[in-house]
Amino acid sequence: MIQAIVFLPLLAALIAGLGQRAIGPFASKILTTGALFTSCALSWPIFLSFVTGSGEASVVPVLHWVSSGALQFNWELRVDALTAVMLVVITTVSALVHLYSWGYMEEDPDQPRFFAYLSLFTFAMLMLVTANNLVQMFFGWEGVGLASYLLIGFWYKKPSANAAAIKAFVVNRVGDLGFMLGIFGTFLVFGTVSIPEILAAAPGMAGSTISFMGMRFDTMTILCLLLFIGAMGKSAQLGLHTWLPDAMEGPTPVSALIHAATMVTAGVFMVCRLSPMFETSDVAQGVVMFVGAATCFFAATVATTQWDIKRVIAYSTCSQLGYMFFAAGAGAYGAAMFHLFTHAFFKALLFLGAGSVIHAMHHEQDMRYYGALRKQIPITYWAMMLGTLAITGVGIAGVAGFAGFYSKDGILEAAFASGGGGVVAFWVGIFVAFLTSFYSWRLVFLTFYGKARWEQSEHIQHAVHGEHEDPSEEHSADDHAHAHHHDTHGDGTAGYHPHESPLSMLIPLIVLSIGAVFAGIAFHHQFIYPEEGMAFWQGSLAFDEHLMHAAHEVPLWVKWTPFTVMAIGLFLAWNSYVRNTTLPARFVAQFKLLHQFLYNKWYFDELYNILFVKPAFALGRFFWKRGDEGTIDRFGPDGAAALVAGGTRLAVRLQSGYVYGYAFVMLLGLVGLASWAMVNFL
């Protein structure tokens, strides 16, 4: 069964990708979508077997891979509770994204290539989460990186998409270098790359030291930090986050897949899979917690100022990943995985809902040119509303709530219960919960409420005047200016009539809405409750039963604080974007420098451009002009060519074609020969 789950997407990708001209778009869509729904249908029984307690961990061999001295490993598919969670997340979201893409990518001429990339992406992620050794995990890790490059840059004729794909590829290579060094160091210390063997031996290495960069450090701290650098790249943590918001330059279904179910979850999964290693180093756990909390805070502040609907949700992803990491740093790995699980549903829902809005608004992505859409696209509106209720954590402690209520509150309570730095992370998380509520409801109110502002959109003007736009002309609100046209209708609509998305796009929204509502209440016992959690996880990650007991016994004010700040954020968003729409402009005028700082994403892109991009280009130009052209080419092939050309020109001049010229040269030769003979023999 596990072989079918993993390899069906690969088979579909190969057939659709290599045979796209032979089988055509429709067959490609049928094949890839059918393969993913089959994998999804096979994944849920595995997950539910662990939920009910009947599932058992197993390892299925595929083939013998490498045997080189002490380095020996096989290609094996590991199935345990942790893998089962990832299987349902990846296959469910990917299957729904495949179906959604039927409608969203209907007009794209390269559909077979797109669906092949989606399936290849899914296969690489499945390879990663079923890995039983670090090399296989790295194989899937790099496969995900490759597929993301292809998908983000799918519209390769669009310069911003090319730039985003290159940025994602380069930034992830930085993280991958850390991951590689971590694998090398782990093999050096443990003599194996087998994950079960490493985790079993990890506690025995606590307190030992290793030489690194000429100094002695704690062995497990160094190994964990190097591995965590890899996780920072894949999961877009602060410092290596810059690629994630730009990744939304790809088609919206790609954004949903990357941000909700694949790639960004790889880092969280890796830390949880190797959690027994991290448990041996307090320093490593502290770094994970700090980076997670910092990322959480940074991304939430930036999201409050963005106008592009997809960019807001992208920064939201970055922020929610921060929650997952500081949960892992606090030792609450089960809570981290629970938030990963629920986040997949409501984040995929929000991205696909945003795609439905963009589809209805003729590829317009700037929320300033939305408004009054709730009656025009009601199904999309209710889907986005349920996703917003889930991500903001609406719920009543001790009663019930949406998916994000259980998982986010579980993280905050565990962080508070862990004490020390966990209490600081708790307060950071509370403030971020307030910001999350504000920017999420801001998105809803700007998009679906108020007066229609459609006439100000360049895209809507194109639609009204019958001008066709290709889907690849999706634009970022930051990248282009809109023309302002007079609205002859006087109602802000410019005569444009948005329509609800086709059924192939609405079905995934409905299914994901169910997950956003019920995923938390259905599975929170298995993920984060002490006794149920121990039975569910079965040692697949480090589950601290005592910490989870303490998390459920925190003071009542700790449980109610997230709801309180959520309500405050909701009120401020309503007051600013529905009741009194002049407030945002007045705030910006009052705090112009702060707004500029946040709107420009803390100037990370500009800073990296100065520190890395420009020096790299300058170094490249130096070696190109001075090294390659000025030295190698000058004295190498170009110099030889010039010498031959000069000799040829001289020879041409000497070969005049006149007999007396040749006779004169012969005479000079005879005189020279005679002179030499007389000197040497007489």
Side-chain angles (χ1 to χ4, degrees), residues 153-237:
F154 178 76
W155 287 324
Y156 56 86
K157 295 180 180 179
K158 182 181 174 186
S160 58
N162 275 330
I166 293 171
K167 180 185 281 189
F169 192 83
V170 172
V171 173
N172 272 275
R173 297 296 75 72
V174 176
D176 294 350
L177 176 60
F179 192 25
M180 288 171 56
L181 292 175
I183 295 174
F184 298 155
T186 303
F187 177 71
L188 176 67
V189 171
F190 294 98
T192 181
V193 292
S194 171
I195 293 175
E197 294 179 18
I198 293 169
L199 300 184
M205 295 302 301
S208 64
T209 60
I210 189 173
S211 179
F212 183 71
M213 298 181 69
M215 294 179 285
R216 303 292 299 184
F217 296 97
D218 181 79
T219 301
M220 297 309 298
T221 298
I222 289 295
L223 295 182
C224 290
L225 290 180
L226 288 172
L227 293 168
F228 180 60
I229 291 173
M232 287 177 63
K234 275 291 183 287
S235 295
Q237 294 301 282

Side-chain angles (χ1 to χ4, degrees), residues 405-419:
F405 166 76
Y406 289 97
S407 58
K408 187 186 294 183
D409 283 23
I411 290 175
L412 294 171
E413 291 164 12
F416 184 87
S418 67

Side-chain angles (χ1 to χ4, degrees), residues 412 416 422-432 557 561:
L412 294 171
F416 184 87
V423 178
V424 178
F426 166 79
W427 286 112
V428 172
I430 289 296
F431 182 68
V432 171
W557 67 266
T561 302

